[in-house]
Amino acid sequence: WVALAYLASVCFLDKWTAERYKIYLKSQKRSKYGVSDKGSRTWKGVWNGREHKIVFDSKAEMKRFCDLHMLYTKKKIKNLEIQPRFLLFESKETGKCEWYVGDFLYFQEGGWFCEDVKGVSTQLFISKWNRVQELHKGVRFLIVSSKHI
């Protein structure tokens, strides 16, 4: 039985050309959402005195982080945070909360800024975006278009 299974696998592989196998491998790496592979969205470096390896949701988000990280190391901005959470709603009966999660939060002369890198804005994002601006007036919320990074 084992010899038969081995023979069948060898015959199957022999029918594939090198080109067809390359096409197959490329098709296996694609995300259904069009997101790049993790390697091209991963930042490796020193941040706050420690080694980090951060995988971002998009290449644009990673590029924006690199820009902000440079400003942070040059002390142009302070208190750089990734994925800051802002409370939108808390149910008194169930205790469940609804959150807005931004991409970056930092302090610059003049106050706090929260950035969200967006390629496409969904209806859910727009409703949370409007709500977070109403509730958290001490923070300036900015949308950074992925097309302009």
Side-chain angles (χ1 to χ4, degrees):
W1 167 250
V2 174
L4 186 59
Y6 174 76
L7 183 60
S9 67
V10 170
C11 291
F12 175 76
L13 289 176
D14 285 345
K15 292 180 183 177
W16 284 44
T17 64
E19 188 61 32
R20 185 174 175 196
Y21 186 65
K22 285 180 187 176
I23 292 169
Y24 168 76
L25 287 178
K26 283 184 182 180
S27 72
Q28 296 302 306
K29 292 181 182 177
R30 290 191 185 144
S31 163
K32 72 178 186 178
Y33 299 108
V35 177
S36 304
D37 62 291
K38 280 186 179 181
S40 63
R41 298 180 286 123
T42 302
W43 178 84
K44 296 176 189 173
V46 177
W47 183 35
N48 291 336
R50 294 190 346 224
E51 291 273 333
H52 288 276
K53 181 178 177 182
I54 305 167
V55 179
F56 291 94
D57 291 338
S58 67
K59 286 181 183 179
E61 192 176 320
M62 184 189 73
K63 287 178 185 176
R64 184 60 185 147
F65 173 77
C66 291
D67 295 342
L68 291 173
H69 184 263
M70 182 183 68
L71 292 172
Y72 177 76
T73 56
K74 291 184 176 185
K75 302 197 186 304
K76 303 281 185 187
I77 63 173
K78 299 175 183 176
N79 299 17
L80 178 60
E81 291 181 33
I82 299 173
Q83 302 288 308
R85 293 169 37 128
F86 296 88
L87 183 64
L88 296 178
F89 175 77
E90 182 175 4
S91 170
K92 297 200 189 290
E93 296 89 37
T94 64
K96 290 186 179 181
C97 298
E98 184 178 355
W99 299 89
Y100 167 80
V101 181
D103 290 329
F104 308 107
L105 177 70
Y106 56 89
F107 185 84
Q108 193 173 22
E109 284 183 40
W112 287 95
F113 295 84
C114 180
E115 292 188 4
D116 210 313
V117 178
K118 281 288 169 220
V120 177
S121 295
T122 64
Q123 199 62 35
L124 178 62
F125 169 75
I126 293 168
S127 66
K128 284 187 173 187
W129 178 257
N130 292 332
R131 184 85 175 123
V132 75
Q133 290 182 81
E134 291 171 12
L135 295 173
H136 301 277
K137 301 231 184 248
V139 179
R140 286 191 55 201
F141 291 89
L142 308 169
I143 296 177
V144 179
S145 172
S146 64
K147 296 172 185 162
H148 297 111
I149 296 179

